[in-house]
Amino acid sequence: MNAQGRKEIAKYIASLEEIKDKLDSMMDEEQDKFDNMPEGLQESERGEAMQEAIEQLETACDNLDEAISALQEI
């Protein structure tokens, strides 16, 4: 790969890292909201939906980490 291609990949990596940071922040905010809910609400349908969203955000962040690592290896 030439220098121009590597520069372009570096831009994609930076963009993905920015997206991941934003998703991490979202996940942390949702986790805080969930943690501050009364236990009864945590076990409700709403609480379970929040947990599912947190887990999906975590999965997305993990996948972004993998994509970033793969691009860095190029």
Side-chain angles (χ1 to χ4, degrees):
M1 178 166 294
N2 62 22
Q4 180 63 30
R6 285 190 295 277
K7 281 184 182 181
E8 197 164 330
I9 287 174
K11 288 179 188 177
Y12 296 149
I13 290 170
S15 294
L16 290 173
E17 287 173 337
E18 183 179 336
I19 292 166
K20 184 189 172 294
D21 288 343
K22 289 178 181 180
L23 291 175
D24 272 332
S25 292
M26 262 179 130
M27 183 177 61
D28 289 343
E29 287 174 18
E30 284 300 304
Q31 186 66 57
D32 287 343
K33 288 178 193 175
F34 178 80
D35 291 343
N36 290 319
M37 291 174 76
E39 190 173 320
L41 284 176
Q42 288 179 352
E43 295 173 3
S44 71
E45 190 173 314
R46 181 177 177 205
E48 289 177 10
M50 288 179 76
Q51 279 186 307
E52 179 66 26
I54 292 164
E55 290 171 9
Q56 293 299 323
L57 285 167
E58 184 175 22
T59 298
C61 288
D62 291 344
N63 290 339
L64 284 169
D65 276 335
E66 289 180 28
I68 291 166
S69 292
L71 289 171
Q72 289 172 333
E73 290 181 22
I74 294 177

